[in-house]
Amino acid sequence: MKGYTWRISLILLFIIASFVYLTPTLVDTLPSWWSGLLPKDKIHLGLDLQGGTHLVMGVETEKAVEGSLDLVATDLEDSLTQQNLRYKSIARVGNDKVQLVLYDRGSADAAQALIKKKYPDMQIQPATDEAGFIAMQVRINEKEAQVRKDRAVAQALETIRNRIDQFGVSEPVIQREGLTNIVVQLPGIKDPKRAIDLIGKTARLEFKLVDETVNAATATASSIPMDDELLYEKRADATTGAVSETPIVVKKKAIITGDLLTDAQIRIDSQYNQPYVAIDFNSTGARLFDQVTAANVGKRFAIVLDNNVYSAPVIRERISGGSAQISGSFTEKEAADLAIVLRAGSLPAPVKILQNVTVGPSLGKDSIHKGLMAGLIGVLLVVGFMAVYYKLCGMVANFGMVLNILFLMGALSALGATLTLPGIAAIVLLVGMSVDSNVLIFERIREELRLGKTPHAALDAGYDKAFLTIMDSHVTALITAAVLFQFGTGPVKGFAVSLSLGIIINLFTSLVSTKVIFDAYLERAHVKRLSI
């Protein structure tokens, strides 16, 4: 008895733990005393079983190239200023060029040498005389533009993945489709609108100088200079909820973008008790922020998020250290969401939702019903076969199969894994593997009995000889499941998770659980002939 006491205790412990974790799934209303550390979450169901949201999002990759050229223009301004080279203007032209207008040919030659050194991949077009100035254009080549577009989609994919992780969706599907699209599936989300807003929010943060020479109150889109744009600062009244819009004319070119952010945290203003978002820049952003604030003391610059002005403060002094804050008339929850999207990473380019489909749970219920029926019929056929062919030993194998399913469902619940249709397929596969393992063991036991060994000796020899075969098959299957989990997505991962857990559990039930039942039975019943 001492030899298998710990094994029986372990099996009982797993059975109790499985029922405890499955209770929220099996019971509609938990009793009042069910609290504290006791689990309260049901088994998570995938999009194919419980419904959810399916999104196809398109990344506007051209904007990513334009954003990088804006940074190049800002950097060239700083570099030319540092070298005391006189220029009239530096700005992006179109979606693939930066134009420099200089006062003299000597400055143009020096600027050309500087660009060749700093941006060797850029194509410099010949300088031309224009109304007494020297105009020169720098163009990004197609190969580099395509690299930046691909990088923008990859970055957008990671950004969306980070946001969804922070939102708390279990096992979402996030994958690239084609050159510019991203597919997102969110199973079972309770607040799809908030999730879509959070994911789809571009969170493209830009710092732009305010053009104070233009009267914003009377300005229209057609009356402002070509390098300006008309934006609005929205403010909501805390008591009435009324939203007012204040027009602000800003320079089109962004002097700093959210790509240079490293952190964003919500803070509370101690003076006005208002929430704001504190942001930190990386070294490049900190340098640019320092230079821009030093060169524009006394001027206003607008903090623009997705073409909405959050604030437009006056630069009182040079700001070093790479920190700033975004204040506005938002609530604490809005500030928290803003901090999430900025911290998770601003999108390198805007994304637009091309397809938004909400999948209802009715399809899932039908799938669950058919899947359960198929599984139940399969299990009953296997149980009948094992009982007839292997008699009493077959019933022990059937008990092990039931334990397999119980332990697997309990483990899925305990780990918070998601059950999908492929996951149900993995459970059916597990039933087959469980039977296969027991058939291997029983056939070895039969061989030992035919050699004249006692039931106990034949049992030990059968398990020993089948051990390596079972272990080999399970380890190779586990490796396959690991590969599927590593490179698969969504339902494939769900299949891999169920299969991996099932393989480990099946090893335990096949080699430990059924063996301990046989050991206890043979020791207590003093069996002279094994029913197999």
Side-chain angles (χ1 to χ4, degrees), residues 274-330:
Q274 289 288 321
Y276 69 91
V277 179
I279 56 177
D280 293 320
F281 294 105
N282 61 18
S283 58
T284 303
R287 179 175 58 80
L288 286 174
F289 197 64
D290 176 70
Q291 292 172 349
V292 167
T293 53
N296 296 282
V297 171
K299 298 179 181 177
R300 294 174 70 197
F301 75 144
I303 301 172
V304 183
L305 187 76
D306 294 347
N307 286 329
N308 292 315
V309 178
Y310 269 70
S311 57
V314 176
I315 303 172
R316 301 292 183 193
E317 59 186 353
R318 179 177 186 169
I319 303 174
S320 303
S323 297
Q325 68 180 52
I326 303 173
S327 56
S329 58
F330 34 56

Side-chain angles (χ1 to χ4, degrees), residues 194-485:
R194 187 187 170 203
I196 292 170
D197 288 344
L198 200 64
I199 295 167
K201 202 169 191 174
T202 307
R204 181 163 178 78
L205 183 66
E206 298 171 302
F207 289 74
K208 297 183 174 183
L209 285 173
V210 176
D211 190 345
E212 311 254 23
T213 62
V214 179
N215 184 357
T218 59
T220 61
S222 57
S223 66
I224 60 177
M226 289 184 64
D227 59 342
D228 286 353
E229 61 182 339
L230 182 62
L231 300 179
Y232 292 90
E233 180 181 7
K234 295 181 180 178
R235 287 191 177 277
D237 189 285
T239 53
T240 64
V243 178
S244 61
E245 292 186 343
T246 305
I248 295 178
V249 177
V250 300
K251 294 291 182 183
K252 280 185 179 177
K253 187 181 69 175
I255 49 180
I256 300 176
T257 68
D259 300 342
L260 306 175
L261 280 185
T262 59
D263 194 17
Q265 297 288 339
I266 181 174
R267 298 276 190 272
I268 303 296
D269 187 298
S270 57
Q271 185 176 359
Y272 301 104
N273 198 30
Q274 289 288 321
Y276 69 91
V277 179
I279 56 177
D280 293 320
F281 294 105
N282 61 18
S283 58
T284 303
R287 179 175 58 80
L288 286 174
F289 197 64
D290 176 70
Q291 292 172 349
V292 167
T293 53
N296 296 282
V297 171
K299 298 179 181 177
R300 294 174 70 197
F301 75 144
I303 301 172
V304 183
L305 187 76
D306 294 347
N307 286 329
N308 292 315
V309 178
Y310 269 70
S311 57
V314 176
I315 303 172
R316 301 292 183 193
E317 59 186 353
R318 179 177 186 169
I319 303 174
S320 303
S323 297
Q325 68 180 52
I326 303 173
S327 56
S329 58
F330 34 56
T331 64
E332 193 166 334
K333 184 180 178 183
E334 289 170 339
D337 281 355
L338 176 60
I340 285 176
V341 295
L342 292 177
R343 189 170 55 247
S346 59
L347 292 170
V351 296
K352 55 183 177 183
I353 296 178
L354 304 177
Q355 187 180 21
N356 177 7
V357 178
T358 299
V359 181
S362 56
L363 176 63
K365 285 182 180 177
D366 187 51
S367 300
I368 291 174
H369 177 70
K370 289 182 178 177
L372 288 178
M373 283 300 295
L376 184 62
I377 292 171
V379 168
L380 288 177
L381 289 174
V382 170
V383 167
F385 171 79
M386 293 299 286
V388 172
Y389 196 74
Y390 290 108
K391 302 173 185 175
L392 186 60
C393 290
M395 295 306 295
V396 175
N398 289 334
F399 179 70
M401 184 173 60
V402 173
L403 283 184
N404 263 343
I405 297 173
L406 175 66
F407 291 165
L408 176 57
M409 299 304 289
L412 286 174
S413 182
L415 296 175
T418 300
L419 182 63
T420 60
L421 271 179
I424 293 178
I427 294 173
V428 176
L429 178 60
L430 174 65
V431 171
M433 293 181 68
S434 173
V435 172
D436 188 47
S437 301
N438 284 288
V439 167
L440 283 172
I441 295 170
F442 293 164
E443 290 302 320
R444 300 291 85 75
I445 293 175
R446 279 180 168 178
E447 290 174 2
E448 299 301 320
L449 289 174
R450 283 195 286 270
L451 293 175
K453 289 187 177 180
T454 63
H456 209 296
L459 189 75
D460 290 341
Y463 270 90
D464 287 343
K465 289 184 176 180
F467 176 81
L468 285 180
T469 306
I470 295 172
M471 187 62 76
D472 286 348
S473 65
H474 282 60
V475 168
T476 51
L478 193 60
I479 292 172
T480 305
V483 173
L484 284 176
F485 182 81

